[in-house]
Amino acid sequence: RTAAWSHNENWLLTGDDAGTIKYWQTNLNNLKAVQAHNEPVRGVAFAPTDLKFCSCSDDTTVKVWDFARAAQLSLLSGHGGDVKTVDWHPHKALLASGGKDAMVKLWDAKSGGAVATLHAHKGQVSTVKWNANGNHLVSGSRDQTIKVWDIRTLREISNFRGHARDVTTVSWHPQHENLLTSGGFDGSILFWIVGDGGEEPQAEIRGGHEAAIWSLCWHPAGHILCSGSNDNTTKFWCRNRPGEVPRDTSIRTGPAAVAEAAVAAAAEMAVRGPGAAGRPSVIPVGSGGGRAGGGAIP
């Protein structure tokens, strides 16, 4: 269901449908398994020091753990339904979580108490992410909106609309702090600029995947974006060269693309009539239809 690398890149944590969190080394050697929750684990995130981590689950709770001892340190209760996402502040003992109750909650990781509750979305909050400096928090929801918060004032500074379906994942650019990328349930990837005052995406990749996008991650240098989808594919994206046709969106070979092509062919046949099979709709240049002698038009 979820996975997160430690900041020192030595450990990988995963959570599954059974409520188990597993410790993995970089060679994918599984060293430890902890029964952390009674329901599926939806999110895990490391503390800045990697000495602790947090987890969230469909059992409505967020938990803080000691990494070395695999021991629970605190239980955070307050959501009114499944908790779908959690993220640890990049510098402080502050957690952000979102859930089925359409709320974003902030928690003190040391005391286990709730710091603030943000009522903004009208549907399930599917993803929350802190930016690199920790001043901004983004939340994405099933209400098809993306909201960015200034955590210093608890004010909403951006409200983005552009997804036709649920917003399933978001990712901040590692180099440009105001650049945000989001993935949708319909397989689209949208790019946003925070603070420009607009609600429209700056760029978009419609049909990037043929099913829901569950994960987006930037290369640390910021020149490649990786996306993982429910269509069983992982794709790597980079900027097109000037004048280059986007190969990633102009050529689609999956089942959905084949079905769309079949529907389009059937529609064209219906327009042209049953006797038009095999008949070209235009006369090729140089076929003899342009001038006597059949020569090509110079």
Side-chain angles (χ1 to χ4, degrees):
R1 283 292 183 174
T2 184
W5 283 99
S6 62
H7 296 90
N8 62 19
E9 301 179 357
N10 292 331
W11 295 95
L12 175 68
L13 286 177
T14 61
D16 61 23
D17 279 346
T20 305
I21 294 177
K22 295 182 179 180
Y23 290 43
W24 304 83
Q25 293 177 306
T26 54
N27 61 0
L28 297 185
N29 179 34
N30 180 210
L31 288 187
K32 190 178 298 185
V34 181
Q35 188 60 44
H37 293 273
N38 298 323
E39 298 287 341
V41 179
R42 296 291 184 170
V44 290
F46 274 96
T49 60
D50 290 334
L51 298 179
K52 300 178 182 179
F53 69 91
C54 61
S55 63
C56 69
S57 167
D58 284 353
D59 64 9
T60 76
T61 66
V62 176
K63 295 183 179 182
V64 178
W65 303 82
D66 181 284
F67 177 75
R69 296 184 294 118
Q72 179 181 316
L73 299 177
S74 56
L75 173 67
L76 315 180
S77 299
H79 277 285
D82 305 355
V83 186
K84 298 297 186 180
T85 178
V86 68
D87 198 26
W88 199 303
H89 192 279
H91 311 300
K92 303 181 183 298
L94 184 64
L95 309 181
S97 63
K100 205 169 184 177
D101 54 7
M103 294 191 299
V104 176
K105 297 185 76 70
L106 304 179
W107 310 86
D108 185 332
K110 293 181 179 179
S111 68
V115 176
T117 300
L118 306 176
H119 301 269
H121 292 285
K122 298 179 181 178
Q124 171 184 297
V125 178
S126 303
T127 178
V128 294
K129 288 289 182 183
W130 296 99
N131 74 336
N133 62 29
N135 292 334
H136 294 160
L137 175 70
V138 61
S139 59
S141 169
R142 293 186 69 175
D143 64 10
Q144 304 171 14
T145 66
I146 300 167
K147 296 181 182 290
V148 181
W149 310 84
D150 188 325
I151 208 61
R152 296 164 293 186
T153 60
L154 294 181
R155 289 179 58 249
E156 179 185 313
I157 59 175
S158 293
N159 181 26
F160 296 131
R161 303 175 184 272
H163 281 281
R165 296 291 302 276
D166 311 0
V167 179
T168 51
T169 182
V170 292
S171 181
W172 291 95
H173 193 278
Q175 303 297 327
H176 303 287
E177 291 185 348
N178 64 337
L179 177 58
L180 178 66
T181 309
S182 62
F185 193 82
D186 60 353
S188 62
I189 302 175
L190 275 61
F191 300 80
W192 315 86
I193 300 295
V194 176
D196 70 343
E199 293 188 353
E200 299 298 320
Q202 300 296 313
E204 54 189 69
I205 304 174
R206 298 290 180 181
H209 283 276
E210 297 178 8
I213 297 175
W214 295 126
S215 180
L216 288 173
C217 187
W218 285 96
H219 186 284
H223 66 299
I224 296 176
L225 175 68
C226 180
S227 60
S229 168
N230 208 43
D231 64 6
N232 300 320
T233 64
T234 299
K235 295 185 179 182
F236 298 85
W237 310 83
C238 63
R239 292 181 62 183
N240 297 309
R241 299 181 181 90
E244 182 182 30
V245 176
R247 290 170 295 171
D248 38 40
T249 55
S250 62
I251 300 176
R252 298 172 59 207
T253 59
V258 173
E260 290 173 9
V263 171
E268 182 181 359
M269 184 64 67
V271 172
R272 293 170 57 189
R279 189 177 66 217
S281 56
V282 296
I283 299 176
V285 174
S287 64
R291 56 190 299 183
I297 299 176

